[in-house]
Amino acid sequence: MIEILTRADEPRVPAWFDQMFRGRAKVFHERLRWRVVVRDGREMDRYDEHERTIYLMAIDTAGQVVGSLRLLRAVGETMLDNEFRDFFSPPIVIRSAEILECTRFCVHGDQTSSKPNAVSSELMIGLCEFALANGIREIIGLYTSGMTRIYRRVGWEPREIAVAKPEFGRLILGTWAVSTAALQTMTLRAGSSRERAPSAQ
């Protein structure tokens, strides 16, 4: 099940937010060794303080968060504008109300018996559904070259825009075109039909 939330929802489902931030710390800090800020076992940054930040959380049958991602509208501050600005030469500026930046895509593998690929697929289907329901035409995001095969397997492969400077590692900036065809392909490969995601409030 995919839940679409903002920080305004945290008082209603505090356990889900706690599980998400702790899962991010385990993945990005402990496993991937990214330079992220972890406090009290939770990975958070300034974008998590924005009331308009959108989260997609994959919830298993036991009510636990097994994966998540974060969305920022490309009309205000984004990580591409700030933290990732020096990754590319020249810097890449993307501004559009019809584009979302996706960051912190995270499968909490140690918290669930679900297969990571299934959780990734569920998150991407939910993301495409949400985008279609809210007039979004593209998703942008950074990913490692190793993720390409996962996106291809799921059925929604990004178009490469730029490759980061060598000193930042093999990071790629890509764009995912939002379409009903992409959603149909992913849903077919996932072997299930799902309800469309609701509009953001």
Side-chain angles (χ1 to χ4, degrees):
M1 175 179 69
I2 294 292
E3 291 284 341
I4 299 172
L5 306 166
T6 68
R7 286 301 294 274
D9 295 300
E10 188 170 10
R12 178 172 59 85
V13 284
W16 285 355
F17 279 85
D18 187 60
Q19 290 168 27
M20 177 183 68
F21 292 131
R22 291 183 184 279
R24 281 172 30 176
K26 290 180 179 179
V27 170
F28 299 120
H29 175 64
E30 296 179 16
R31 188 187 308 169
L32 297 178
R33 303 296 183 185
W34 287 9
R35 294 179 180 176
V36 294
V37 176
V38 176
R39 294 190 178 93
D40 299 322
R42 292 156 56 103
E43 187 278 309
M44 299 175 64
D45 63 18
R46 63 194 182 98
Y47 301 100
D48 294 307
E49 301 301 325
H50 295 182
E51 61 181 19
R52 292 180 63 85
T53 300
I54 301 165
Y55 302 94
L56 269 65
M57 300 186 195
I59 312 297
D60 69 8
T61 55
Q64 301 297 301
V65 178
V66 295
S68 60
L69 59 83
R70 181 177 71 186
L71 299 172
L72 299 169
R73 295 189 182 272
V75 291
E77 283 196 293
T78 63
M79 295 194 76
L80 183 59
D81 285 337
N82 299 302
E83 286 80 359
F84 302 149
R85 180 177 178 83
D86 294 333
F87 283 27
F88 305 97
S89 183
I92 297 172
V93 178
I94 295 177
R95 288 281 187 278
S96 174
E98 297 178 326
I99 295 177
L100 289 172
E101 179 189 67
C102 178
T103 58
R104 295 304 195 262
F105 190 107
C106 178
V107 175
H108 309 170
D110 62 338
Q111 296 180 352
T112 175
S113 60
S114 300
K115 294 180 179 179
N117 287 344
V119 177
S120 296
S121 177
E122 186 176 14
L123 283 168
M124 293 187 71
I125 290 172
L127 173 56
C128 193
E129 288 178 330
F130 175 80
L132 284 168
N134 288 276
I136 302 300
R137 61 180 175 82
E138 284 185 330
I139 308 296
I140 58 169
L142 265 66
Y143 58 95
T144 61
S145 56
M147 285 294 294
T148 303
R149 60 181 176 81
I150 296 176
Y151 299 137
R152 186 179 299 123
R153 183 182 300 137
V154 168
W156 197 16
E157 192 172 351
R159 177 176 62 87
E160 183 179 306
I161 296 177
V163 176
K165 299 174 185 176
E167 58 265 35
F168 295 107
R170 179 60 181 175
L171 288 174
I172 302 168
L173 178 66
T175 177
W176 288 257
V178 175
S179 69
T180 55
L183 178 59
Q184 289 169 355
T185 298
M186 288 190 287
T187 302
L188 181 63
R189 293 188 183 183
S192 64
S193 59
R194 302 162 66 250
E195 295 181 358
R196 295 176 69 87
S199 299
Q201 300 299 315

